[in-house]
Amino acid sequence: LSALMRLLISGICIEEKVGHRIALPLEAGDQGHVLVHFAVSNLVLDGDAQRQVLAVKGAMGKLPCLGCLNVVRDRESLPSDAFVTIANYDANRLELSTNQDVWEKADMLYSNRPPKMRKADFKELETALGLRYEPDGLLNDQSLRPHLPIVDVLTFDTMHIILCNGMADDEFAALFTSLAG
């Protein structure tokens, strides 16, 4: 799915040049044409879609959130006090990722892919970075990077993250279990 999205976005942004200025024959009074600029502004993805489209590890990685630099899965993964677990509720402690941070992680996987690194060590690196190496995937397309600032356009699908099989479901299940018990 990551390779398919790469081809789709590449076709739109690079081949069709939709991300560039396009003159449209719209009614604009005396001017006759209007210049319109298109850009990818949102990729709406829930957790499963992020795993498939962006090749992220999600909850299976040490860094479960692509948008955060210092959030780790569990207490045993805390390398220092600068890191927090996914249970953190203090937004002031979060260090947000930049697009460059994500590209650096993808590039690190690319440059260390087997046979340069043993397969078992490479799997550990993938888990540590929270990404899977997808050679034809979206994050490995250098030509798309200027058109797709991945952290800036990543938009979470609220319906699935909070409501439908999401956090609110878990909270209500815990509440009802507690009330019933």
Side-chain angles (χ1 to χ4, degrees):
L1 193 55
S2 186
L4 180 64
M5 280 297 282
R6 179 184 60 81
L7 290 173
L8 176 67
I9 294 173
S10 180
I12 292 169
C13 293
I14 295 172
E15 293 167 28
E16 298 295 327
K17 298 184 190 296
V18 171
H20 303 303
R21 292 181 180 159
I22 299 173
L24 296 175
L26 299 174
E27 283 296 321
D30 297 343
Q31 283 118 6
H33 290 87
V34 174
L35 279 179
V36 180
H37 181 78
F38 295 93
V40 176
S41 64
N42 296 84
L43 281 180
V44 181
L45 305 169
D46 66 3
D48 194 39
Q50 285 184 42
R51 284 188 290 281
Q52 293 177 32
V53 172
L54 302 176
V56 299
K57 290 266 190 187
M60 300 307 293
K62 293 282 185 195
L63 299 170
C65 176
L66 185 67
C68 300
L69 280 178
N70 69 329
V71 176
V72 294
R73 182 178 57 211
D74 49 40
R75 284 213 169 300
E76 293 76 36
S77 300
L78 289 172
S80 74
D81 288 342
F83 287 81
V84 297
T85 69
I86 57 174
N88 171 63
Y89 56 86
D90 183 0
N92 293 322
R93 299 227 24 229
L94 296 178
E95 259 185 75
L96 301 179
S97 295
T98 65
N99 298 306
Q100 189 59 36
D101 293 326
V102 174
W103 303 139
E104 285 174 8
K105 289 178 187 181
D107 292 344
M108 188 182 301
L109 289 177
Y110 176 80
S111 62
N112 288 295
R113 69 193 185 282
K116 184 167 185 173
M117 184 180 267
R118 286 186 9 212
K119 285 184 181 182
D121 294 336
F122 188 72
K123 289 289 180 199
E124 284 185 28
L125 179 61
E126 286 181 315
T127 300
L129 295 175
L131 294 177
R132 284 188 340 271
Y133 174 64
E134 293 284 339
D136 297 320
L138 193 60
L139 294 181
N140 284 314
D141 190 330
Q142 300 276 334
S143 65
L144 271 181
R145 291 180 180 183
H147 305 281
L148 190 68
I150 200 68
V151 172
D152 299 341
V153 301
L154 184 58
T155 305
F156 295 94
D157 173 7
T158 308
M159 176 63 152
H160 287 94
I161 291 175
I162 296 179
L163 300 174
C164 182
N165 292 323
M167 292 183 291
D169 261 1
D170 294 342
E171 293 297 323
F172 279 116
L175 172 66
F176 293 142
T177 301
S178 175
L179 291 174

